[in-house]
Amino acid sequence: MSAPDRTLTRVAAVLSAGAGLVHVGLAGEHAEHHWTMGVAFLLAGVAQLGWSAALLLRYGRRVVGAGALLQLACVAALVATATVGWPVGPEAWQPEQVSTSALVCLALELSAAAGARSLLIGRVRLPSAVLPLALVAVVASSSGALAA
């Protein structure tokens, strides 16, 4: 694996951290539906925050690949709950309504997965000015998603 683009690495980490913060921030609200949903949100958020840190501290092909899979698994979970519902609890198998916060999280996850894919390919370079823009976008979108 060639030397990673530092800006792309940092942007992918920021995007994952943003999605992780949304998940952690909404874990309590989702636990009200069923405790397993709250735990799933908390675990997803911690995993996304952990991958963000691992990407910055222990960069490598396996770390990048694992992060891409993590983000896509979170996307798949959203699609599943929106189409067939959560499998346990009083509202089992009833599709969830897709909220603004879910769409924000989805965008962050898909963008982080795309960043991880680009890191694996190794031909993408981002100008350093993209990082502050990503930070502002993540802070604005995740704080808005949590307030909604």
Side-chain angles (χ1 to χ4, degrees):
M1 187 171 198
S2 62
D5 176 53
R6 294 175 71 81
T7 302
L8 180 56
T9 302
R10 291 174 178 155
V11 167
V14 164
L15 294 167
S16 181
L21 291 173
V22 171
H23 275 120
V24 169
L26 295 175
E29 179 183 320
H30 283 80
E32 293 173 7
H33 294 284
H34 194 264
W35 69 269
T36 57
M37 188 179 275
V39 169
F41 263 69
L42 188 59
L43 291 174
V46 168
Q48 288 172 319
L49 289 166
W51 181 70
S52 179
L55 187 59
L56 297 174
L57 301 173
R58 312 237 345 136
Y59 184 90
R61 191 166 191 78
R62 286 184 180 169
V63 169
V64 174
L69 292 175
L70 167 65
Q71 304 306 330
L72 294 175
C74 290
V75 169
L78 172 64
V79 170
T81 58
T83 56
V84 297
W86 190 253
V88 294
E91 299 168 2
W93 304 116
Q94 293 179 15
E96 290 265 315
Q97 186 172 4
V98 179
S99 64
T100 302
S101 56
L103 293 175
V104 166
C105 204
L106 177 70
L108 293 170
E109 291 161 350
L110 287 172
S111 299
R117 182 184 182 279
S118 297
L119 285 167
L120 288 170
I121 293 170
R123 292 186 294 238
V124 176
R125 298 278 178 215
L126 293 179
S128 58
V130 172
L131 181 59
L133 294 173
L135 284 166
V136 168
V138 165
V139 168
S141 63
S142 24
S143 60
L146 293 173

